[in-house]
Amino acid sequence: VHGEASVCGLRIPKGAWTPFAVETTAQLTEVHAPSSHPEVMQVHVVILDRLAGHILGKNGARIQQTAVSAGCPVWMTTRDGAVRRRIVIVGNYKQCKLAQEIVHEQITSAQNEDWRDSETEVYLLIRAEAAGVVTGKQGYVLDRIRKHSGARIELLRQEIEGQRPCLVAGTLPSVLRAQRLVFHLVSCVPVTQSLDRSSSLQGSASGAATD
């Protein structure tokens, strides 16, 4: 099949897709298996450990409120002595976007920075069967997403729980623009692997995604 398809305003050639990724690996823990709903993804927002309290709030009340406001599961990885921790968000694009905006405002407020200029770094967990669609032939699609969004993007070759980590960094608006395109591309690829639909985490995320 030849010609072009429009994905969120980005012109992408139709045709065969082949993987194109970097060899870098990421030390990611607390990664959950993908949802049985193709529009639901997992986002890991990287933060400094010293800022964890501003995100969690007293007895975790603030991060619980963030999850309620976004309408999807949001939690923080456990402290392991590292300088960085991650905020894990599971939901559709709209839910993940809102959760990231809330968290970003909390981080920049704690550091007395302008949220529009402050950079953020996240990992998108892309189902392995959808990775080729995101990269495109010889990395063409990934390069177009970089140029369209203004974000720095690298899809890693490693696989965790049937997913490939995609590092996205830049200002929050640029990172969210990149995520919007990636979420759309991944949602167009059917889930092929057998998943446990009884999982409470996936159930709450997919249930919220249909609202």
Side-chain angles (χ1 to χ4, degrees), residues 147-184:
K147 292 176 180 177
H148 182 80
S149 66
R152 301 185 297 279
I153 310 170
E154 297 293 348
L155 179 64
L156 311 187
R157 289 191 185 279
Q158 75 180 114
E159 190 172 311
I160 308 172
E161 293 287 342
Q163 298 157 105
R164 298 266 296 278
C166 182
L167 176 62
V168 186
T171 61
L172 183 63
S174 68
V175 167
L176 292 177
R177 280 194 297 270
Q179 284 185 38
R180 181 167 174 257
L181 292 165
V182 173
F183 263 78
H184 183 85

PDB file of all heavy atoms in Angstrom, residues 147-184:
ATOM      1  N   LYS A 147      10.690  16.127  14.870  1.00  0.00           N
ATOM      2  CA  LYS A 147      10.632  17.436  14.234  1.00  0.00           C
ATOM      3  C   LYS A 147       9.295  18.134  14.486  1.00  0.00           C
ATOM      4  O   LYS A 147       9.235  19.348  14.690  1.00  0.00           O
ATOM      5  CB  LYS A 147      10.870  17.291  12.729  1.00  0.00           C
ATOM      6  CG  LYS A 147      12.298  16.867  12.391  1.00  0.00           C
ATOM      7  CD  LYS A 147      12.483  16.636  10.900  1.00  0.00           C
ATOM      8  CE  LYS A 147      13.914  16.205  10.587  1.00  0.00           C
ATOM      9  NZ  LYS A 147      14.103  15.909   9.140  1.00  0.00           N
ATOM     10  N   HIS A 148       8.217  17.372  14.486  1.00  0.00           N
ATOM     11  CA  HIS A 148       6.875  17.933  14.680  1.00  0.00           C
ATOM     12  C   HIS A 148       6.675  18.410  16.116  1.00  0.00           C
ATOM     13  O   HIS A 148       6.038  19.438  16.353  1.00  0.00           O
ATOM     14  CB  HIS A 148       5.817  16.887  14.330  1.00  0.00           C
ATOM     15  CG  HIS A 148       4.412  17.377  14.440  1.00  0.00           C
ATOM     16  ND1 HIS A 148       3.808  18.132  13.465  1.00  0.00           N
ATOM     17  CD2 HIS A 148       3.481  17.237  15.433  1.00  0.00           C
ATOM     18  CE1 HIS A 148       2.570  18.427  13.837  1.00  0.00           C
ATOM     19  NE2 HIS A 148       2.352  17.893  15.024  1.00  0.00           N
ATOM     20  N   SER A 149       7.228  17.666  17.069  1.00  0.00           N
ATOM     21  CA  SER A 149       6.997  17.980  18.482  1.00  0.00           C
ATOM     22  C   SER A 149       8.056  18.891  19.094  1.00  0.00           C
ATOM     23  O   SER A 149       7.766  19.652  20.014  1.00  0.00           O
ATOM     24  CB  SER A 149       6.947  16.680  19.297  1.00  0.00           C
ATOM     25  OG  SER A 149       8.211  16.030  19.293  1.00  0.00           O
ATOM     26  N   GLY A 150       9.296  18.783  18.590  1.00  0.00           N
ATOM     27  CA  GLY A 150      10.384  19.541  19.191  1.00  0.00           C
ATOM     28  C   GLY A 150      11.009  18.828  20.382  1.00  0.00           C
ATOM     29  O   GLY A 150      11.922  19.354  21.020  1.00  0.00           O
ATOM     30  N   ALA A 151      10.536  17.625  20.676  1.00  0.00           N
ATOM     31  CA  ALA A 151      11.071  16.864  21.805  1.00  0.00           C
ATOM     32  C   ALA A 151      12.218  15.958  21.360  1.00  0.00           C
ATOM     33  O   ALA A 151      12.343  15.629  20.190  1.00  0.00           O
ATOM     34  CB  ALA A 151       9.965  16.015  22.438  1.00  0.00           C
ATOM     35  N   ARG A 152      13.043  15.560  22.311  1.00  0.00           N
ATOM     36  CA  ARG A 152      14.096  14.583  22.055  1.00  0.00           C
ATOM     37  C   ARG A 152      13.507  13.204  22.336  1.00  0.00           C
ATOM     38  O   ARG A 152      12.971  12.965  23.426  1.00  0.00           O
ATOM     39  CB  ARG A 152      15.313  14.855  22.955  1.00  0.00           C
ATOM     40  CG  ARG A 152      15.894  16.252  22.755  1.00  0.00           C
ATOM     41  CD  ARG A 152      17.171  16.456  23.564  1.00  0.00           C
ATOM     42  NE  ARG A 152      16.953  16.362  25.002  1.00  0.00           N
ATOM     43  CZ  ARG A 152      16.476  17.346  25.757  1.00  0.00           C
ATOM     44  NH1 ARG A 152      16.133  18.504  25.206  1.00  0.00           N
ATOM     45  NH2 ARG A 152      16.335  17.188  27.063  1.00  0.00           N
ATOM     46  N   ILE A 153      13.619  12.291  21.380  1.00  0.00           N
ATOM     47  CA  ILE A 153      12.968  10.988  21.505  1.00  0.00           C
ATOM     48  C   ILE A 153      13.932   9.878  21.103  1.00  0.00           C
ATOM     49  O   ILE A 153      14.579   9.957  20.065  1.00  0.00           O
ATOM     50  CB  ILE A 153      11.712  10.900  20.606  1.00  0.00           C
ATOM     51  CG1 ILE A 153      10.814  12.116  20.809  1.00  0.00           C
ATOM     52  CG2 ILE A 153      10.947   9.611  20.870  1.00  0.00           C
ATOM     53  CD1 ILE A 153       9.692  12.205  19.792  1.00  0.00           C
ATOM     54  N   GLU A 154      14.006   8.842  21.932  1.00  0.00           N
ATOM     55  CA  GLU A 154      14.809   7.666  21.611  1.00  0.00           C
ATOM     56  C   GLU A 154      14.019   6.415  22.001  1.00  0.00           C
ATOM     57  O   GLU A 154      13.620   6.264  23.157  1.00  0.00           O
ATOM     58  CB  GLU A 154      16.146   7.681  22.368  1.00  0.00           C
ATOM     59  CG  GLU A 154      17.072   8.840  22.026  1.00  0.00           C
ATOM     60  CD  GLU A 154      17.609   8.791  20.606  1.00  0.00           C
ATOM     61  OE1 GLU A 154      17.444   7.732  19.959  1.00  0.00           O
ATOM     62  OE2 GLU A 154      18.186   9.792  20.159  1.00  0.00           O
ATOM     63  N   LEU A 155      13.799   5.525  21.054  1.00  0.00           N
ATOM     64  CA  LEU A 155      13.152   4.244  21.339  1.00  0.00           C
ATOM     65  C   LEU A 155      14.241   3.216  21.603  1.00  0.00           C
ATOM     66  O   LEU A 155      15.111   2.998  20.762  1.00  0.00           O
ATOM     67  CB  LEU A 155      12.282   3.801  20.166  1.00  0.00           C
ATOM     68  CG  LEU A 155      11.561   2.461  20.340  1.00  0.00           C
ATOM     69  CD1 LEU A 155      10.558   2.540  21.487  1.00  0.00           C
ATOM     70  CD2 LEU A 155      10.850   2.066  19.046  1.00  0.00           C
ATOM     71  N   LEU A 156      14.213   2.611  22.782  1.00  0.00           N
ATOM     72  CA  LEU A 156      15.251   1.661  23.168  1.00  0.00           C
ATOM     73  C   LEU A 156      14.926   0.259  22.672  1.00  0.00           C
ATOM     74  O   LEU A 156      13.771  -0.113  22.519  1.00  0.00           O
ATOM     75  CB  LEU A 156      15.404   1.652  24.696  1.00  0.00           C
ATOM     76  CG  LEU A 156      15.542   3.024  25.370  1.00  0.00           C
ATOM     77  CD1 LEU A 156      15.858   2.846  26.846  1.00  0.00           C
ATOM     78  CD2 LEU A 156      16.594   3.882  24.694  1.00  0.00           C
ATOM     79  N   ARG A 157      15.971  -0.533  22.426  1.00  0.00           N
ATOM     80  CA  ARG A 157      15.778  -1.894  21.928  1.00  0.00           C
ATOM     81  C   ARG A 157      15.350  -2.854  23.032  1.00  0.00           C
ATOM     82  O   ARG A 157      14.758  -3.892  22.756  1.00  0.00           O
ATOM     83  CB  ARG A 157      17.075  -2.403  21.285  1.00  0.00           C
ATOM     84  CG  ARG A 157      17.402  -1.737  19.958  1.00  0.00           C
ATOM     85  CD  ARG A 157      18.529  -2.482  19.257  1.00  0.00           C
ATOM     86  NE  ARG A 157      18.945  -1.796  18.047  1.00  0.00           N
ATOM     87  CZ  ARG A 157      18.328  -1.882  16.883  1.00  0.00           C
ATOM     88  NH1 ARG A 157      17.239  -2.631  16.782  1.00  0.00           N
ATOM     89  NH2 ARG A 157      18.771  -1.242  15.830  1.00  0.00           N
ATOM     90  N   GLN A 158      15.692  -2.542  24.275  1.00  0.00           N
ATOM     91  CA  GLN A 158      15.372  -3.466  25.363  1.00  0.00           C
ATOM     92  C   GLN A 158      13.859  -3.642  25.495  1.00  0.00           C
ATOM     93  O   GLN A 158      13.071  -2.764  25.114  1.00  0.00           O
ATOM     94  CB  GLN A 158      15.969  -2.978  26.682  1.00  0.00           C
ATOM     95  CG  GLN A 158      15.225  -1.804  27.306  1.00  0.00           C
ATOM     96  CD  GLN A 158      15.851  -1.337  28.610  1.00  0.00           C
ATOM     97  OE1 GLN A 158      16.354  -0.245  28.673  1.00  0.00           O
ATOM     98  NE2 GLN A 158      15.819  -2.173  29.637  1.00  0.00           N
ATOM     99  N   GLU A 159      13.463  -4.771  26.031  1.00  0.00           N
ATOM    100  CA  GLU A 159      12.043  -5.069  26.211  1.00  0.00           C
ATOM    101  C   GLU A 159      11.779  -5.430  27.665  1.00  0.00           C
ATOM    102  O   GLU A 159      12.486  -6.243  28.252  1.00  0.00           O
ATOM    103  CB  GLU A 159      11.639  -6.219  25.293  1.00  0.00           C
ATOM    104  CG  GLU A 159      10.143  -6.457  25.228  1.00  0.00           C
ATOM    105  CD  GLU A 159       9.760  -7.473  24.158  1.00  0.00           C
ATOM    106  OE1 GLU A 159      10.234  -7.327  23.006  1.00  0.00           O
ATOM    107  OE2 GLU A 159       9.000  -8.401  24.471  1.00  0.00           O
ATOM    108  N   ILE A 160      10.767  -4.784  28.254  1.00  0.00           N
ATOM    109  CA  ILE A 160      10.399  -5.024  29.648  1.00  0.00           C
ATOM    110  C   ILE A 160       8.910  -5.328  29.707  1.00  0.00           C
ATOM    111  O   ILE A 160       8.090  -4.511  29.284  1.00  0.00           O
ATOM    112  CB  ILE A 160      10.692  -3.786  30.529  1.00  0.00           C
ATOM    113  CG1 ILE A 160      12.137  -3.297  30.344  1.00  0.00           C
ATOM    114  CG2 ILE A 160      10.412  -4.100  31.995  1.00  0.00           C
ATOM    115  CD1 ILE A 160      12.424  -1.980  31.019  1.00  0.00           C
ATOM    116  N   GLU A 161       8.562  -6.492  30.203  1.00  0.00           N
ATOM    117  CA  GLU A 161       7.147  -6.891  30.302  1.00  0.00           C
ATOM    118  C   GLU A 161       6.413  -6.735  28.959  1.00  0.00           C
ATOM    119  O   GLU A 161       5.278  -6.255  28.902  1.00  0.00           O
ATOM    120  CB  GLU A 161       6.432  -6.058  31.380  1.00  0.00           C
ATOM    121  CG  GLU A 161       6.892  -6.314  32.800  1.00  0.00           C
ATOM    122  CD  GLU A 161       6.412  -7.665  33.327  1.00  0.00           C
ATOM    123  OE1 GLU A 161       5.476  -8.238  32.747  1.00  0.00           O
ATOM    124  OE2 GLU A 161       6.980  -8.131  34.324  1.00  0.00           O
ATOM    125  N   GLY A 162       7.100  -7.127  27.876  1.00  0.00           N
ATOM    126  CA  GLY A 162       6.474  -7.056  26.564  1.00  0.00           C
ATOM    127  C   GLY A 162       6.343  -5.657  26.003  1.00  0.00           C
ATOM    128  O   GLY A 162       5.576  -5.419  25.057  1.00  0.00           O
ATOM    129  N   GLN A 163       7.130  -4.710  26.542  1.00  0.00           N
ATOM    130  CA  GLN A 163       7.065  -3.324  26.093  1.00  0.00           C
ATOM    131  C   GLN A 163       8.460  -2.753  25.868  1.00  0.00           C
ATOM    132  O   GLN A 163       9.418  -3.171  26.511  1.00  0.00           O
ATOM    133  CB  GLN A 163       6.327  -2.465  27.134  1.00  0.00           C
ATOM    134  CG  GLN A 163       4.883  -2.878  27.350  1.00  0.00           C
ATOM    135  CD  GLN A 163       4.373  -2.430  28.710  1.00  0.00           C
ATOM    136  OE1 GLN A 163       3.617  -1.480  28.814  1.00  0.00           O
ATOM    137  NE2 GLN A 163       4.787  -3.121  29.764  1.00  0.00           N
ATOM    138  N   ARG A 164       8.559  -1.789  24.967  1.00  0.00           N
ATOM    139  CA  ARG A 164       9.823  -1.120  24.672  1.00  0.00           C
ATOM    140  C   ARG A 164       9.805   0.287  25.272  1.00  0.00           C
ATOM    141  O   ARG A 164       8.890   1.071  24.996  1.00  0.00           O
ATOM    142  CB  ARG A 164      10.005  -1.026  23.153  1.00  0.00           C
ATOM    143  CG  ARG A 164      10.091  -2.367  22.423  1.00  0.00           C
ATOM    144  CD  ARG A 164      11.505  -2.819  22.227  1.00  0.00           C
ATOM    145  NE  ARG A 164      12.239  -1.898  21.372  1.00  0.00           N
ATOM    146  CZ  ARG A 164      12.185  -1.897  20.031  1.00  0.00           C
ATOM    147  NH1 ARG A 164      11.422  -2.780  19.399  1.00  0.00           N
ATOM    148  NH2 ARG A 164      12.886  -1.028  19.327  1.00  0.00           N
ATOM    149  N   PRO A 165      10.798   0.663  26.090  1.00  0.00           N
ATOM    150  CA  PRO A 165      10.844   2.008  26.654  1.00  0.00           C
ATOM    151  C   PRO A 165      11.185   3.038  25.572  1.00  0.00           C
ATOM    152  O   PRO A 165      12.089   2.842  24.768  1.00  0.00           O
ATOM    153  CB  PRO A 165      11.972   1.931  27.687  1.00  0.00           C
ATOM    154  CG  PRO A 165      12.231   0.476  27.892  1.00  0.00           C
ATOM    155  CD  PRO A 165      11.892  -0.181  26.595  1.00  0.00           C
ATOM    156  N   CYS A 166      10.442   4.128  25.568  1.00  0.00           N
ATOM    157  CA  CYS A 166      10.700   5.230  24.644  1.00  0.00           C
ATOM    158  C   CYS A 166      10.963   6.467  25.489  1.00  0.00           C
ATOM    159  O   CYS A 166      10.062   6.968  26.177  1.00  0.00           O
ATOM    160  CB  CYS A 166       9.505   5.454  23.725  1.00  0.00           C
ATOM    161  SG  CYS A 166       9.749   6.767  22.496  1.00  0.00           S
ATOM    162  N   LEU A 167      12.194   6.956  25.467  1.00  0.00           N
ATOM    163  CA  LEU A 167      12.572   8.125  26.256  1.00  0.00           C
ATOM    164  C   LEU A 167      12.177   9.398  25.512  1.00  0.00           C
ATOM    165  O   LEU A 167      12.554   9.593  24.361  1.00  0.00           O
ATOM    166  CB  LEU A 167      14.072   8.115  26.518  1.00  0.00           C
ATOM    167  CG  LEU A 167      14.658   9.322  27.266  1.00  0.00           C
ATOM    168  CD1 LEU A 167      14.044   9.437  28.660  1.00  0.00           C
ATOM    169  CD2 LEU A 167      16.177   9.200  27.357  1.00  0.00           C
ATOM    170  N   VAL A 168      11.405  10.257  26.180  1.00  0.00           N
ATOM    171  CA  VAL A 168      10.964  11.525  25.587  1.00  0.00           C
ATOM    172  C   VAL A 168      11.351  12.641  26.546  1.00  0.00           C
ATOM    173  O   VAL A 168      10.992  12.601  27.727  1.00  0.00           O
ATOM    174  CB  VAL A 168       9.439  11.551  25.348  1.00  0.00           C
ATOM    175  CG1 VAL A 168       9.033  12.820  24.605  1.00  0.00           C
ATOM    176  CG2 VAL A 168       8.986  10.323  24.575  1.00  0.00           C
ATOM    177  N   ALA A 169      12.084  13.647  26.060  1.00  0.00           N
ATOM    178  CA  ALA A 169      12.545  14.734  26.924  1.00  0.00           C
ATOM    179  C   ALA A 169      12.399  16.074  26.228  1.00  0.00           C
ATOM    180  O   ALA A 169      12.454  16.174  24.998  1.00  0.00           O
ATOM    181  CB  ALA A 169      14.003  14.496  27.328  1.00  0.00           C
ATOM    182  N   GLY A 170      12.203  17.116  27.023  1.00  0.00           N
ATOM    183  CA  GLY A 170      12.053  18.470  26.495  1.00  0.00           C
ATOM    184  C   GLY A 170      11.107  19.262  27.376  1.00  0.00           C
ATOM    185  O   GLY A 170      10.795  18.852  28.496  1.00  0.00           O
ATOM    186  N   THR A 171      10.648  20.412  26.899  1.00  0.00           N
ATOM    187  CA  THR A 171       9.655  21.159  27.646  1.00  0.00           C
ATOM    188  C   THR A 171       8.369  20.343  27.685  1.00  0.00           C
ATOM    189  O   THR A 171       8.147  19.495  26.813  1.00  0.00           O
ATOM    190  CB  THR A 171       9.367  22.518  26.995  1.00  0.00           C
ATOM    191  OG1 THR A 171       8.845  22.303  25.678  1.00  0.00           O
ATOM    192  CG2 THR A 171      10.636  23.371  26.908  1.00  0.00           C
ATOM    193  N   LEU A 172       7.525  20.586  28.670  1.00  0.00           N
ATOM    194  CA  LEU A 172       6.306  19.788  28.791  1.00  0.00           C
ATOM    195  C   LEU A 172       5.440  19.848  27.530  1.00  0.00           C
ATOM    196  O   LEU A 172       4.973  18.807  27.064  1.00  0.00           O
ATOM    197  CB  LEU A 172       5.491  20.224  30.012  1.00  0.00           C
ATOM    198  CG  LEU A 172       4.223  19.402  30.265  1.00  0.00           C
ATOM    199  CD1 LEU A 172       4.565  17.944  30.556  1.00  0.00           C
ATOM    200  CD2 LEU A 172       3.412  20.005  31.398  1.00  0.00           C
ATOM    201  N   PRO A 173       5.207  21.039  26.935  1.00  0.00           N
ATOM    202  CA  PRO A 173       4.392  21.074  25.710  1.00  0.00           C
ATOM    203  C   PRO A 173       4.960  20.201  24.589  1.00  0.00           C
ATOM    204  O   PRO A 173       4.205  19.514  23.895  1.00  0.00           O
ATOM    205  CB  PRO A 173       4.397  22.559  25.326  1.00  0.00           C
ATOM    206  CG  PRO A 173       4.583  23.278  26.614  1.00  0.00           C
ATOM    207  CD  PRO A 173       5.541  22.413  27.392  1.00  0.00           C
ATOM    208  N   SER A 174       6.280  20.206  24.418  1.00  0.00           N
ATOM    209  CA  SER A 174       6.883  19.411  23.342  1.00  0.00           C
ATOM    210  C   SER A 174       6.773  17.921  23.650  1.00  0.00           C
ATOM    211  O   SER A 174       6.501  17.102  22.763  1.00  0.00           O
ATOM    212  CB  SER A 174       8.355  19.798  23.132  1.00  0.00           C
ATOM    213  OG  SER A 174       9.159  19.428  24.240  1.00  0.00           O
ATOM    214  N   VAL A 175       6.958  17.549  24.911  1.00  0.00           N
ATOM    215  CA  VAL A 175       6.849  16.148  25.311  1.00  0.00           C
ATOM    216  C   VAL A 175       5.426  15.643  25.121  1.00  0.00           C
ATOM    217  O   VAL A 175       5.205  14.524  24.631  1.00  0.00           O
ATOM    218  CB  VAL A 175       7.300  15.974  26.781  1.00  0.00           C
ATOM    219  CG1 VAL A 175       6.902  14.600  27.320  1.00  0.00           C
ATOM    220  CG2 VAL A 175       8.810  16.165  26.898  1.00  0.00           C
ATOM    221  N   LEU A 176       4.443  16.462  25.461  1.00  0.00           N
ATOM    222  CA  LEU A 176       3.049  16.062  25.297  1.00  0.00           C
ATOM    223  C   LEU A 176       2.658  15.974  23.826  1.00  0.00           C
ATOM    224  O   LEU A 176       1.856  15.115  23.447  1.00  0.00           O
ATOM    225  CB  LEU A 176       2.129  17.029  26.043  1.00  0.00           C
ATOM    226  CG  LEU A 176       2.231  16.986  27.572  1.00  0.00           C
ATOM    227  CD1 LEU A 176       1.333  18.043  28.195  1.00  0.00           C
ATOM    228  CD2 LEU A 176       1.886  15.604  28.105  1.00  0.00           C
ATOM    229  N   ARG A 177       3.210  16.843  22.993  1.00  0.00           N
ATOM    230  CA  ARG A 177       2.942  16.750  21.546  1.00  0.00           C
ATOM    231  C   ARG A 177       3.458  15.427  20.999  1.00  0.00           C
ATOM    232  O   ARG A 177       2.788  14.755  20.201  1.00  0.00           O
ATOM    233  CB  ARG A 177       3.600  17.919  20.798  1.00  0.00           C
ATOM    234  CG  ARG A 177       2.833  19.226  20.862  1.00  0.00           C
ATOM    235  CD  ARG A 177       3.333  20.224  19.836  1.00  0.00           C
ATOM    236  NE  ARG A 177       4.717  20.613  20.062  1.00  0.00           N
ATOM    237  CZ  ARG A 177       5.084  21.647  20.815  1.00  0.00           C
ATOM    238  NH1 ARG A 177       4.165  22.372  21.435  1.00  0.00           N
ATOM    239  NH2 ARG A 177       6.361  21.959  20.963  1.00  0.00           N
ATOM    240  N   ALA A 178       4.666  15.040  21.428  1.00  0.00           N
ATOM    241  CA  ALA A 178       5.240  13.768  20.984  1.00  0.00           C
ATOM    242  C   ALA A 178       4.396  12.597  21.481  1.00  0.00           C
ATOM    243  O   ALA A 178       4.111  11.653  20.731  1.00  0.00           O
ATOM    244  CB  ALA A 178       6.677  13.641  21.486  1.00  0.00           C
ATOM    245  N   GLN A 179       3.977  12.661  22.733  1.00  0.00           N
ATOM    246  CA  GLN A 179       3.174  11.582  23.297  1.00  0.00           C
ATOM    247  C   GLN A 179       1.849  11.433  22.554  1.00  0.00           C
ATOM    248  O   GLN A 179       1.377  10.319  22.327  1.00  0.00           O
ATOM    249  CB  GLN A 179       2.890  11.853  24.774  1.00  0.00           C
ATOM    250  CG  GLN A 179       4.073  11.594  25.682  1.00  0.00           C
ATOM    251  CD  GLN A 179       3.707  11.771  27.142  1.00  0.00           C
ATOM    252  OE1 GLN A 179       2.621  11.421  27.566  1.00  0.00           O
ATOM    253  NE2 GLN A 179       4.630  12.325  27.915  1.00  0.00           N
ATOM    254  N   ARG A 180       1.249  12.539  22.180  1.00  0.00           N
ATOM    255  CA  ARG A 180      -0.038  12.487  21.477  1.00  0.00           C
ATOM    256  C   ARG A 180       0.087  11.675  20.187  1.00  0.00           C
ATOM    257  O   ARG A 180      -0.770  10.846  19.859  1.00  0.00           O
ATOM    258  CB  ARG A 180      -0.514  13.903  21.176  1.00  0.00           C
ATOM    259  CG  ARG A 180      -1.861  13.981  20.455  1.00  0.00           C
ATOM    260  CD  ARG A 180      -2.379  15.408  20.503  1.00  0.00           C
ATOM    261  NE  ARG A 180      -3.591  15.555  19.702  1.00  0.00           N
ATOM    262  CZ  ARG A 180      -3.628  16.118  18.497  1.00  0.00           C
ATOM    263  NH1 ARG A 180      -2.514  16.581  17.952  1.00  0.00           N
ATOM    264  NH2 ARG A 180      -4.757  16.223  17.835  1.00  0.00           N
ATOM    265  N   LEU A 181       1.156  11.893  19.466  1.00  0.00           N
ATOM    266  CA  LEU A 181       1.386  11.157  18.225  1.00  0.00           C
ATOM    267  C   LEU A 181       1.665   9.683  18.494  1.00  0.00           C
ATOM    268  O   LEU A 181       1.135   8.805  17.813  1.00  0.00           O
ATOM    269  CB  LEU A 181       2.550  11.792  17.459  1.00  0.00           C
ATOM    270  CG  LEU A 181       2.285  13.192  16.893  1.00  0.00           C
ATOM    271  CD1 LEU A 181       3.596  13.865  16.493  1.00  0.00           C
ATOM    272  CD2 LEU A 181       1.340  13.137  15.715  1.00  0.00           C
ATOM    273  N   VAL A 182       2.505   9.418  19.497  1.00  0.00           N
ATOM    274  CA  VAL A 182       2.854   8.033  19.818  1.00  0.00           C
ATOM    275  C   VAL A 182       1.627   7.272  20.319  1.00  0.00           C
ATOM    276  O   VAL A 182       1.373   6.135  19.899  1.00  0.00           O
ATOM    277  CB  VAL A 182       3.983   7.980  20.864  1.00  0.00           C
ATOM    278  CG1 VAL A 182       4.220   6.543  21.326  1.00  0.00           C
ATOM    279  CG2 VAL A 182       5.277   8.560  20.292  1.00  0.00           C
ATOM    280  N   PHE A 183       0.856   7.894  21.196  1.00  0.00           N
ATOM    281  CA  PHE A 183      -0.357   7.251  21.705  1.00  0.00           C
ATOM    282  C   PHE A 183      -1.278   6.875  20.549  1.00  0.00           C
ATOM    283  O   PHE A 183      -1.840   5.775  20.529  1.00  0.00           O
ATOM    284  CB  PHE A 183      -1.110   8.205  22.649  1.00  0.00           C
ATOM    285  CG  PHE A 183      -0.830   7.991  24.110  1.00  0.00           C
ATOM    286  CD1 PHE A 183       0.348   8.466  24.686  1.00  0.00           C
ATOM    287  CD2 PHE A 183      -1.752   7.341  24.918  1.00  0.00           C
ATOM    288  CE1 PHE A 183       0.598   8.294  26.033  1.00  0.00           C
ATOM    289  CE2 PHE A 183      -1.507   7.161  26.276  1.00  0.00           C
ATOM    290  CZ  PHE A 183      -0.325   7.637  26.830  1.00  0.00           C
ATOM    291  N   HIS A 184      -1.438   7.780  19.592  1.00  0.00           N
ATOM    292  CA  HIS A 184      -2.341   7.515  18.472  1.00  0.00           C
ATOM    293  C   HIS A 184      -1.838   6.344  17.626  1.00  0.00           C
ATOM    294  O   HIS A 184      -2.616   5.453  17.260  1.00  0.00           O
ATOM    295  CB  HIS A 184      -2.493   8.753  17.597  1.00  0.00           C
ATOM    296  CG  HIS A 184      -3.468   8.563  16.472  1.00  0.00           C
ATOM    297  ND1 HIS A 184      -4.819   8.744  16.620  1.00  0.00           N
ATOM    298  CD2 HIS A 184      -3.282   8.165  15.192  1.00  0.00           C
ATOM    299  CE1 HIS A 184      -5.432   8.475  15.470  1.00  0.00           C
ATOM    300  NE2 HIS A 184      -4.512   8.133  14.586  1.00  0.00           N
TER     301      HIS A 184
END
